[in-house]
Amino acid sequence: MKLIGKNILIEVINEEVKTSSGLLLSSEDTSQFRYSKGKVVEPGTNVEVINKGDVIYYDKRQGYTMLIENEKFTVIQERDVVVVL
């Protein structure tokens, strides 16, 4: 598989969000967050800073989800990445 241009193929990481007092936030509460966490499966041919295997935070309002070989992935643009861990 080869991604073209500044596209990035990611696998979304679903994580539990806990407040400082120890309360777990529901998926409805976490859906209010603008950014989501993901793992880079394959960066595009023109992506320079982000590498395969990086864990990132990205703008979840951008991009689109697709099935590749019966697995769910999200494709975003390099400009939608806000943090590389």
Side-chain angles (χ1 to χ4, degrees), residues 12-29:
V12 176
I13 297 173
N14 295 318
E15 60 183 344
E16 290 183 339
V17 178
K18 195 181 289 189
T19 64
S20 60
S21 62
L23 294 173
L24 288 175
L25 296 179
S26 69
S27 60
E28 184 176 307
D29 291 331

Side-chain angles (χ1 to χ4, degrees), residues 18-63:
K18 195 181 289 189
T19 64
S20 60
S21 62
L23 294 173
L24 288 175
L25 296 179
S26 69
S27 60
E28 184 176 307
D29 291 331
T30 58
S31 69
Q32 302 294 323
F33 297 152
R34 179 170 179 164
Y35 299 102
S36 189
K37 191 175 186 179
K39 182 176 181 181
V40 176
V41 176
E42 190 69 38
T45 54
N46 295 337
V47 176
E48 298 173 8
V49 178
I50 300 162
N51 300 308
K52 185 175 184 173
D54 284 349
V55 176
I56 61 170
Y57 279 95
Y58 66 97
D59 187 347
K60 68 180 177 183
R61 297 178 186 161
Q62 304 299 320

Side-chain angles (χ1 to χ4, degrees), residues 1 9-14 38-39 41 58 64-75:
M1 173 178 5
L9 185 70
I10 63 169
E11 187 176 341
V12 176
I13 297 173
N14 295 318
K39 182 176 181 181
V41 176
Y58 66 97
Y64 51 93
T65 303
M66 61 190 321
L67 285 174
I68 300 174
E69 297 176 4
N70 293 326
E71 289 190 53
K72 191 174 173 181
F73 295 101
T74 300
V75 177

